[in-house]
Amino acid sequence: PQHEIKSLFEETVGVANTNTFYEAWLSNHMRKIDVDSLAAWGFNSVRLAMHYNLYTLPIQDEPVPGEDTWLDKGFAMTDSLLEWCAENEIYLILDLHAAPGGQGHDAAISDYDDSLPSLWEDEENKRKTIALWRRLAERYSDHPWIGGYDLINEPNWGFDDPNDLHGVSEQNNIPLRELLVDITNAIREVDTNHIIFIEGNSWANNYNGIFPPWDDNMVASFHKYWTVNDKESIQWMLDYRDEYNIP
């Protein structure tokens, strides 16, 4: 998880040098030349894996509990990336890869810190997630090169059975569906233009209880690992597509 890596950096080289490193990393990891190259190679979209802490403070760091401090860094970086995508006429999909509190026990994905309440264990983390998406949608509502909003990347959490850490056997997914609906409603208050991408539990594969769709501009995303390359292995996804008329 990123918070552990950053802590080791600070122990090794100090806080100032760690901050210098992260500034250099964020400035150089993705540049315009990379987007130019992707477009030249024929790609038509970029999916931006966003960490919420570039856009707003963690709930435990907010000076006024229940309010949101907005950080310029994440929004400015997203603006730059969107500009590079627009110049190349390729779409930018916003993906909340690390939600406030962390959305899964697979901490390397979501930067989950098990010493703090997760997204699913704290209503304030949920509220901040909804507020962040509303602010992003308000900012980009009319931009033609936003491809859509991927609400929560690869949630993996056992709601009914805490021993089912990654939600593989979850039958209801009630908290996940409720939060996805609440985020969608907040986005639609300010943006009726863009696609909503949803993901099921268990790394975007467990859709028990998630359907039927609640928006008429929605796509279901599946992240299918450890699989054979044939139609049979994805037939259950195709069945969802056909039953609910959803891409």
Side-chain angles (χ1 to χ4, degrees):
Q2 179 171 265
H3 68 272
E4 293 184 11
I5 295 172
K6 192 170 185 178
S7 177
L8 290 170
F9 264 92
E10 291 176 351
E11 290 176 19
T12 305
V13 299
V15 172
N17 286 330
T18 297
N19 291 338
T20 298
F21 167 79
Y22 272 91
E23 282 298 315
W25 173 52
L26 291 172
S27 297
N28 292 283
H29 174 262
M30 187 75 173
R31 301 168 299 160
K32 183 177 183 300
I33 192 174
D34 299 304
V35 181
D36 295 342
S37 297
L38 289 168
W41 297 331
F43 289 93
N44 66 359
S45 66
V46 170
R47 181 170 176 263
L48 172 61
M50 303 182 298
H51 195 308
Y52 82 93
N53 67 9
L54 288 172
Y55 301 85
T56 187
L57 293 177
I59 59 172
Q60 63 272 15
D61 294 343
E62 284 289 358
V64 179
E67 294 189 6
D68 298 304
T69 301
W70 300 112
L71 308 176
D72 292 336
K73 183 70 174 178
F75 294 102
M77 291 177 65
T78 306
D79 288 348
S80 293
L81 180 56
L82 181 54
E83 182 180 335
W84 303 336
C85 288
E87 289 178 10
N88 281 286
E89 298 188 345
I90 62 178
Y91 289 102
L92 178 64
I93 297 170
L94 303 185
D95 149 41
L96 188 53
H97 218 80
Q103 67 267 27
H105 284 286
D106 194 339
I109 295 173
S110 63
D111 202 22
Y112 170 54
D113 183 346
D114 62 9
S115 70
L116 298 169
S118 74
L119 173 65
W120 310 112
E121 296 168 318
D122 194 299
E123 291 302 314
E124 188 57 21
N125 276 325
K126 294 178 185 177
R127 187 206 61 76
K128 184 176 278 286
T129 300
I130 295 167
L132 173 58
W133 269 119
R134 191 185 192 282
R135 194 166 184 93
L136 287 163
E138 189 171 34
R139 190 181 187 95
Y140 301 118
S141 61
D142 295 322
H143 204 292
W145 290 105
I146 286 287
Y149 307 127
D150 193 342
L151 303 188
I152 304 175
N153 176 73
E154 293 191 0
N156 57 100
W157 198 269
F159 301 114
D160 291 340
D161 179 6
N163 294 317
D164 178 23
L165 290 181
H166 303 299
V168 176
S169 301
E170 183 74 27
Q171 294 302 303
N172 298 300
N173 288 307
I174 292 172
L176 175 56
R177 178 186 163 92
E178 287 180 345
L179 183 56
L180 292 174
V181 170
D182 288 345
I183 296 171
T184 303
N185 289 338
I187 289 173
R188 291 303 183 225
E189 290 176 0
V190 295
D191 183 347
T192 58
N193 295 326
H194 290 111
I195 295 170
I196 300 290
F197 293 89
I198 62 169
E199 302 186 29
N201 204 346
S202 185
W203 299 281
N205 292 293
N206 180 343
Y207 272 83
N208 294 330
I210 301 296
F211 292 123
W214 52 91
D215 189 85
D216 61 5
N217 191 12
M218 179 179 286
V219 170
S221 177
F222 300 85
H223 298 188
K224 189 74 162 66
Y225 307 107
W226 311 293
T227 188
V228 293
N229 185 20
D230 61 15
K231 185 178 178 181
E232 184 179 2
S233 70
I234 62 166
Q235 187 59 52
W236 57 281
M237 305 180 204
L238 304 181
D239 292 343
Y240 279 137
R241 179 195 65 185
D242 296 341
E243 180 178 0
Y244 296 111
N245 190 30
I246 184 173

CSV table of all heavy atoms in Angstrom, one decimal, residues 37-82:
chain,number,residue,atom,x,y,z
A,37,SER,N,1.9,9.4,-27.5
A,37,SER,CA,2.3,8.1,-27.9
A,37,SER,C,1.1,7.1,-27.9
A,37,SER,O,0.9,6.3,-28.9
A,37,SER,CB,3.4,7.5,-27.0
A,37,SER,OG,4.6,8.3,-27.1
A,38,LEU,N,0.3,7.1,-26.8
A,38,LEU,CA,-0.9,6.3,-26.8
A,38,LEU,C,-1.8,6.5,-28.0
A,38,LEU,O,-2.3,5.6,-28.6
A,38,LEU,CB,-1.6,6.5,-25.5
A,38,LEU,CG,-0.9,6.0,-24.2
A,38,LEU,CD1,-1.6,6.5,-23.0
A,38,LEU,CD2,-0.9,4.5,-24.2
A,39,ALA,N,-2.0,7.8,-28.3
A,39,ALA,CA,-2.9,8.1,-29.4
A,39,ALA,C,-2.3,7.6,-30.7
A,39,ALA,O,-3.0,7.1,-31.6
A,39,ALA,CB,-3.1,9.6,-29.5
A,40,ALA,N,-0.9,7.8,-30.9
A,40,ALA,CA,-0.3,7.3,-32.1
A,40,ALA,C,-0.3,5.8,-32.2
A,40,ALA,O,-0.4,5.3,-33.4
A,40,ALA,CB,1.2,7.7,-32.1
A,41,TRP,N,-0.4,5.1,-31.1
A,41,TRP,CA,-0.5,3.6,-31.2
A,41,TRP,C,-1.9,3.1,-31.4
A,41,TRP,O,-2.1,1.9,-31.5
A,41,TRP,CB,0.1,3.0,-29.9
A,41,TRP,CG,1.5,3.3,-29.6
A,41,TRP,CD1,2.5,3.5,-30.6
A,41,TRP,CD2,2.2,3.5,-28.4
A,41,TRP,NE1,3.7,3.8,-30.0
A,41,TRP,CE2,3.6,3.8,-28.7
A,41,TRP,CE3,1.8,3.4,-27.1
A,41,TRP,CZ2,4.5,4.0,-27.6
A,41,TRP,CZ3,2.7,3.6,-26.1
A,41,TRP,CH2,4.1,3.9,-26.3
A,42,GLY,N,-2.9,4.0,-31.4
A,42,GLY,CA,-4.2,3.6,-31.7
A,42,GLY,C,-5.2,3.5,-30.5
A,42,GLY,O,-6.3,3.1,-30.7
A,43,PHE,N,-4.7,3.8,-29.3
A,43,PHE,CA,-5.6,3.8,-28.2
A,43,PHE,C,-6.6,4.9,-28.2
A,43,PHE,O,-6.3,6.0,-28.7
A,43,PHE,CB,-4.8,3.9,-26.9
A,43,PHE,CG,-4.0,2.7,-26.6
A,43,PHE,CD1,-2.7,2.5,-27.0
A,43,PHE,CD2,-4.6,1.6,-25.9
A,43,PHE,CE1,-1.9,1.4,-26.7
A,43,PHE,CE2,-3.8,0.4,-25.6
A,43,PHE,CZ,-2.5,0.3,-26.0
A,44,ASN,N,-7.8,4.7,-27.7
A,44,ASN,CA,-8.8,5.7,-27.8
A,44,ASN,C,-9.3,6.2,-26.4
A,44,ASN,O,-10.2,7.1,-26.3
A,44,ASN,CB,-10.1,5.2,-28.6
A,44,ASN,CG,-10.8,4.1,-27.8
A,44,ASN,OD1,-10.4,3.7,-26.8
A,44,ASN,ND2,-11.9,3.6,-28.5
A,45,SER,N,-8.6,5.8,-25.4
A,45,SER,CA,-9.0,6.3,-24.0
A,45,SER,C,-7.9,6.1,-23.0
A,45,SER,O,-7.0,5.2,-23.2
A,45,SER,CB,-10.3,5.6,-23.5
A,45,SER,OG,-10.0,4.2,-23.3
A,46,VAL,N,-7.9,6.9,-22.0
A,46,VAL,CA,-7.0,6.7,-20.8
A,46,VAL,C,-7.9,6.6,-19.6
A,46,VAL,O,-8.9,7.4,-19.5
A,46,VAL,CB,-6.1,7.9,-20.7
A,46,VAL,CG1,-5.3,7.9,-19.4
A,46,VAL,CG2,-5.1,8.0,-21.9
A,47,ARG,N,-7.6,5.7,-18.7
A,47,ARG,CA,-8.4,5.5,-17.5
A,47,ARG,C,-7.5,5.9,-16.4
A,47,ARG,O,-6.4,5.3,-16.1
A,47,ARG,CB,-8.8,4.0,-17.3
A,47,ARG,CG,-9.6,3.7,-16.1
A,47,ARG,CD,-10.2,2.3,-16.1
A,47,ARG,NE,-10.9,1.9,-14.9
A,47,ARG,CZ,-10.3,1.2,-13.9
A,47,ARG,NH1,-9.0,0.8,-14.0
A,47,ARG,NH2,-11.0,0.9,-12.9
A,48,LEU,N,-7.8,7.1,-15.7
A,48,LEU,CA,-7.0,7.7,-14.7
A,48,LEU,C,-7.3,7.1,-13.3
A,48,LEU,O,-8.4,7.2,-12.8
A,48,LEU,CB,-7.3,9.2,-14.7
A,48,LEU,CG,-6.6,10.0,-13.5
A,48,LEU,CD1,-5.1,9.9,-13.6
A,48,LEU,CD2,-7.1,11.4,-13.5
A,49,ALA,N,-6.3,6.4,-12.8
A,49,ALA,CA,-6.5,5.8,-11.4
A,49,ALA,C,-6.2,6.9,-10.4
A,49,ALA,O,-5.1,7.3,-10.1
A,49,ALA,CB,-5.5,4.7,-11.3
A,50,MET,N,-7.3,7.4,-9.8
A,50,MET,CA,-7.2,8.5,-8.9
A,50,MET,C,-7.1,8.1,-7.4
A,50,MET,O,-7.9,7.2,-7.0
A,50,MET,CB,-8.5,9.4,-9.0
A,50,MET,CG,-8.7,9.9,-10.4
A,50,MET,SD,-10.2,11.0,-10.5
A,50,MET,CE,-11.5,9.9,-10.0
A,51,HIS,N,-6.2,8.7,-6.7
A,51,HIS,CA,-6.2,8.5,-5.2
A,51,HIS,C,-6.8,9.8,-4.6
A,51,HIS,O,-6.5,10.9,-4.9
A,51,HIS,CB,-4.7,8.5,-4.7
A,51,HIS,CG,-4.6,7.9,-3.3
A,51,HIS,ND1,-5.3,8.5,-2.2
A,51,HIS,CD2,-3.9,6.9,-2.8
A,51,HIS,CE1,-5.0,7.8,-1.1
A,51,HIS,NE2,-4.1,6.9,-1.4
A,52,TYR,N,-7.8,9.5,-3.8
A,52,TYR,CA,-8.6,10.6,-3.3
A,52,TYR,C,-7.8,11.7,-2.6
A,52,TYR,O,-8.2,12.9,-2.5
A,52,TYR,CB,-9.7,10.1,-2.3
A,52,TYR,CG,-9.2,9.9,-0.9
A,52,TYR,CD1,-9.3,10.9,0.1
A,52,TYR,CD2,-8.6,8.7,-0.6
A,52,TYR,CE1,-8.8,10.6,1.4
A,52,TYR,CE2,-8.1,8.4,0.7
A,52,TYR,CZ,-8.3,9.4,1.7
A,52,TYR,OH,-7.8,9.2,2.9
A,53,ASN,N,-6.6,11.3,-2.0
A,53,ASN,CA,-5.9,12.2,-1.1
A,53,ASN,C,-5.1,13.3,-1.9
A,53,ASN,O,-4.5,14.2,-1.3
A,53,ASN,CB,-4.9,11.5,-0.2
A,53,ASN,CG,-3.8,10.8,-0.9
A,53,ASN,OD1,-3.6,10.9,-2.1
A,53,ASN,ND2,-3.1,10.0,-0.1
A,54,LEU,N,-5.2,13.2,-3.3
A,54,LEU,CA,-4.7,14.3,-4.1
A,54,LEU,C,-5.8,15.4,-4.3
A,54,LEU,O,-5.5,16.5,-4.8
A,54,LEU,CB,-4.2,13.8,-5.4
A,54,LEU,CG,-2.9,13.0,-5.4
A,54,LEU,CD1,-2.7,12.4,-6.8
A,54,LEU,CD2,-1.8,13.9,-5.0
A,55,TYR,N,-7.0,15.1,-3.9
A,55,TYR,CA,-8.2,16.0,-4.2
A,55,TYR,C,-8.8,16.5,-2.9
A,55,TYR,O,-9.3,17.6,-2.9
A,55,TYR,CB,-9.3,15.2,-4.9
A,55,TYR,CG,-8.8,14.7,-6.3
A,55,TYR,CD1,-8.2,13.5,-6.4
A,55,TYR,CD2,-9.0,15.4,-7.4
A,55,TYR,CE1,-7.8,13.0,-7.6
A,55,TYR,CE2,-8.6,14.9,-8.7
A,55,TYR,CZ,-8.0,13.7,-8.7
A,55,TYR,OH,-7.6,13.2,-9.9
A,56,THR,N,-8.7,15.8,-1.8
A,56,THR,CA,-9.2,16.2,-0.5
A,56,THR,C,-8.5,15.5,0.6
A,56,THR,O,-7.8,14.5,0.4
A,56,THR,CB,-10.7,15.8,-0.5
A,56,THR,OG1,-11.3,16.4,0.7
A,56,THR,CG2,-11.0,14.4,-0.5
A,57,LEU,N,-8.7,16.0,1.8
A,57,LEU,CA,-8.0,15.5,3.0
A,57,LEU,C,-8.7,14.2,3.5
A,57,LEU,O,-9.9,14.1,3.4
A,57,LEU,CB,-8.0,16.5,4.1
A,57,LEU,CG,-7.1,17.8,3.9
A,57,LEU,CD1,-7.3,18.7,5.1
A,57,LEU,CD2,-5.7,17.5,3.7
A,58,PRO,N,-7.9,13.3,4.1
A,58,PRO,CA,-8.6,12.2,4.9
A,58,PRO,C,-9.5,12.8,6.0
A,58,PRO,O,-9.2,13.8,6.5
A,58,PRO,CB,-7.4,11.5,5.5
A,58,PRO,CG,-6.2,11.9,4.7
A,58,PRO,CD,-6.4,13.3,4.2
A,59,ILE,N,-10.5,12.0,6.3
A,59,ILE,CA,-11.5,12.5,7.3
A,59,ILE,C,-10.8,12.8,8.6
A,59,ILE,O,-11.2,13.8,9.3
A,59,ILE,CB,-12.6,11.5,7.5
A,59,ILE,CG1,-12.2,10.2,8.0
A,59,ILE,CG2,-13.4,11.4,6.2
A,59,ILE,CD1,-13.3,9.2,8.3
A,60,GLN,N,-9.8,12.1,9.0
A,60,GLN,CA,-9.1,12.3,10.3
A,60,GLN,C,-8.3,13.5,10.3
A,60,GLN,O,-7.9,14.0,11.4
A,60,GLN,CB,-8.3,11.1,10.7
A,60,GLN,CG,-7.1,10.7,9.8
A,60,GLN,CD,-7.5,9.8,8.7
A,60,GLN,OE1,-8.7,9.6,8.4
A,60,GLN,NE2,-6.5,9.2,8.1
A,61,ASP,N,-8.0,14.1,9.1
A,61,ASP,CA,-7.2,15.3,9.0
A,61,ASP,C,-8.0,16.6,8.8
A,61,ASP,O,-7.4,17.7,8.7
A,61,ASP,CB,-6.1,15.1,7.9
A,61,ASP,CG,-5.1,14.1,8.2
A,61,ASP,OD1,-5.0,13.7,9.4
A,61,ASP,OD2,-4.4,13.6,7.3
A,62,GLU,N,-9.3,16.4,8.6
A,62,GLU,CA,-10.1,17.6,8.3
A,62,GLU,C,-10.1,18.5,9.5
A,62,GLU,O,-10.4,18.1,10.6
A,62,GLU,CB,-11.5,17.2,7.9
A,62,GLU,CG,-11.7,16.7,6.5
A,62,GLU,CD,-11.5,17.8,5.5
A,62,GLU,OE1,-11.3,18.9,5.8
A,62,GLU,OE2,-11.6,17.4,4.3
A,63,PRO,N,-9.8,19.8,9.4
A,63,PRO,CA,-9.8,20.7,10.5
A,63,PRO,C,-11.2,20.9,11.1
A,63,PRO,O,-11.4,21.1,12.3
A,63,PRO,CB,-9.3,22.1,9.9
A,63,PRO,CG,-9.5,21.9,8.4
A,63,PRO,CD,-9.3,20.5,8.1
A,64,VAL,N,-12.3,20.8,10.2
A,64,VAL,CA,-13.6,20.8,10.7
A,64,VAL,C,-14.3,19.5,10.3
A,64,VAL,O,-14.5,19.3,9.2
A,64,VAL,CB,-14.4,22.0,10.1
A,64,VAL,CG1,-15.9,22.0,10.6
A,64,VAL,CG2,-13.7,23.3,10.4
A,65,PRO,N,-14.6,18.6,11.3
A,65,PRO,CA,-15.2,17.4,11.0
A,65,PRO,C,-16.5,17.5,10.2
A,65,PRO,O,-17.3,18.4,10.5
A,65,PRO,CB,-15.5,16.8,12.4
A,65,PRO,CG,-14.5,17.4,13.3
A,65,PRO,CD,-14.3,18.8,12.8
A,66,GLY,N,-16.7,16.7,9.2
A,66,GLY,CA,-17.9,16.8,8.4
A,66,GLY,C,-17.8,17.7,7.2
A,66,GLY,O,-18.7,17.8,6.4
A,67,GLU,N,-16.7,18.5,7.1
A,67,GLU,CA,-16.5,19.4,6.0
A,67,GLU,C,-15.4,18.8,5.1
A,67,GLU,O,-14.6,17.9,5.5
A,67,GLU,CB,-16.2,20.8,6.4
A,67,GLU,CG,-17.3,21.4,7.2
A,67,GLU,CD,-17.1,22.9,7.4
A,67,GLU,OE1,-16.1,23.4,7.0
A,67,GLU,OE2,-17.9,23.5,8.1
A,68,ASP,N,-15.3,19.4,3.9
A,68,ASP,CA,-14.3,18.9,2.9
A,68,ASP,C,-13.3,20.0,2.6
A,68,ASP,O,-13.7,21.1,2.1
A,68,ASP,CB,-15.0,18.4,1.6
A,68,ASP,CG,-15.9,17.2,1.9
A,68,ASP,OD1,-15.4,16.2,2.5
A,68,ASP,OD2,-17.1,17.3,1.6
A,69,THR,N,-12.0,19.7,2.8
A,69,THR,CA,-11.0,20.6,2.3
A,69,THR,C,-10.6,20.1,0.9
A,69,THR,O,-10.1,19.0,0.7
A,69,THR,CB,-9.8,20.6,3.2
A,69,THR,OG1,-10.2,21.0,4.5
A,69,THR,CG2,-8.6,21.5,2.7
A,70,TRP,N,-10.7,21.0,-0.1
A,70,TRP,CA,-10.4,20.6,-1.5
A,70,TRP,C,-8.9,21.0,-1.8
A,70,TRP,O,-8.5,22.1,-1.5
A,70,TRP,CB,-11.3,21.2,-2.5
A,70,TRP,CG,-12.7,20.8,-2.2
A,70,TRP,CD1,-13.8,21.6,-1.8
A,70,TRP,CD2,-13.3,19.5,-2.3
A,70,TRP,NE1,-14.9,20.8,-1.6
A,70,TRP,CE2,-14.6,19.5,-2.0
A,70,TRP,CE3,-12.7,18.2,-2.7
A,70,TRP,CZ2,-15.5,18.4,-2.0
A,70,TRP,CZ3,-13.6,17.1,-2.8
A,70,TRP,CH2,-14.9,17.2,-2.4
A,71,LEU,N,-8.2,20.1,-2.4
A,71,LEU,CA,-6.8,20.3,-2.7
A,71,LEU,C,-6.6,20.6,-4.2
A,71,LEU,O,-7.2,19.8,-5.0
A,71,LEU,CB,-5.9,19.1,-2.3
A,71,LEU,CG,-6.1,18.6,-0.8
A,71,LEU,CD1,-5.4,17.3,-0.6
A,71,LEU,CD2,-5.7,19.7,0.2
A,72,ASP,N,-5.8,21.6,-4.5
A,72,ASP,CA,-5.7,22.0,-5.9
A,72,ASP,C,-4.9,20.9,-6.7
A,72,ASP,O,-5.1,20.8,-7.9
A,72,ASP,CB,-4.9,23.3,-6.0
A,72,ASP,CG,-5.8,24.5,-5.5
A,72,ASP,OD1,-7.0,24.3,-5.5
A,72,ASP,OD2,-5.2,25.5,-5.1
A,73,LYS,N,-4.0,20.2,-6.1
A,73,LYS,CA,-3.1,19.3,-6.8
A,73,LYS,C,-3.8,18.3,-7.7
A,73,LYS,O,-3.5,18.2,-8.9
A,73,LYS,CB,-2.2,18.5,-5.7
A,73,LYS,CG,-1.1,17.6,-6.3
A,73,LYS,CD,0.0,18.4,-7.0
A,73,LYS,CE,1.1,17.5,-7.5
A,73,LYS,NZ,2.2,18.3,-8.1
A,74,GLY,N,-4.7,17.5,-7.2
A,74,GLY,CA,-5.3,16.5,-8.0
A,74,GLY,C,-6.1,17.1,-9.1
A,74,GLY,O,-6.1,16.6,-10.2
A,75,PHE,N,-6.9,18.2,-8.8
A,75,PHE,CA,-7.7,18.8,-9.9
A,75,PHE,C,-6.8,19.4,-11.0
A,75,PHE,O,-7.1,19.2,-12.2
A,75,PHE,CB,-8.6,19.8,-9.3
A,75,PHE,CG,-9.6,19.3,-8.3
A,75,PHE,CD1,-9.5,19.4,-7.0
A,75,PHE,CD2,-10.8,18.7,-8.8
A,75,PHE,CE1,-10.4,18.9,-6.1
A,75,PHE,CE2,-11.7,18.1,-7.9
A,75,PHE,CZ,-11.5,18.2,-6.6
A,76,ALA,N,-5.7,20.0,-10.6
A,76,ALA,CA,-4.8,20.6,-11.6
A,76,ALA,C,-4.2,19.5,-12.5
A,76,ALA,O,-4.1,19.7,-13.7
A,76,ALA,CB,-3.7,21.4,-10.9
A,77,MET,N,-3.8,18.4,-11.9
A,77,MET,CA,-3.2,17.3,-12.6
A,77,MET,C,-4.2,16.7,-13.6
A,77,MET,O,-3.9,16.3,-14.7
A,77,MET,CB,-2.6,16.2,-11.7
A,77,MET,CG,-1.4,16.6,-10.9
A,77,MET,SD,-0.9,15.4,-9.7
A,77,MET,CE,-0.4,14.1,-10.9
A,78,THR,N,-5.5,16.5,-13.1
A,78,THR,CA,-6.5,16.0,-13.9
A,78,THR,C,-6.8,16.9,-15.1
A,78,THR,O,-7.0,16.5,-16.2
A,78,THR,CB,-7.8,15.7,-13.1
A,78,THR,OG1,-7.5,14.9,-12.0
A,78,THR,CG2,-8.8,15.0,-13.9
A,79,ASP,N,-6.8,18.2,-14.8
A,79,ASP,CA,-7.0,19.2,-15.9
A,79,ASP,C,-6.0,19.1,-17.0
A,79,ASP,O,-6.3,19.1,-18.2
A,79,ASP,CB,-7.0,20.6,-15.3
A,79,ASP,CG,-8.2,21.0,-14.5
A,79,ASP,OD1,-9.2,20.2,-14.6
A,79,ASP,OD2,-8.2,22.0,-13.8
A,80,SER,N,-4.7,18.9,-16.6
A,80,SER,CA,-3.6,18.8,-17.5
A,80,SER,C,-3.8,17.5,-18.4
A,80,SER,O,-3.7,17.5,-19.6
A,80,SER,CB,-2.3,18.7,-16.8
A,80,SER,OG,-2.0,20.0,-16.2
A,81,LEU,N,-4.1,16.4,-17.7
A,81,LEU,CA,-4.2,15.1,-18.4
A,81,LEU,C,-5.4,15.2,-19.4
A,81,LEU,O,-5.3,14.7,-20.6
A,81,LEU,CB,-4.4,14.0,-17.4
A,81,LEU,CG,-4.6,12.6,-18.0
A,81,LEU,CD1,-3.4,12.2,-18.9
A,81,LEU,CD2,-4.8,11.6,-16.9
A,82,LEU,N,-6.5,15.8,-19.0
A,82,LEU,CA,-7.7,16.0,-19.9
A,82,LEU,C,-7.3,16.8,-21.1
A,82,LEU,O,-7.8,16.6,-22.2
A,82,LEU,CB,-8.8,16.6,-19.1
A,82,LEU,CG,-10.1,16.8,-19.8
A,82,LEU,CD1,-10.6,15.5,-20.5
A,82,LEU,CD2,-11.2,17.4,-18.9
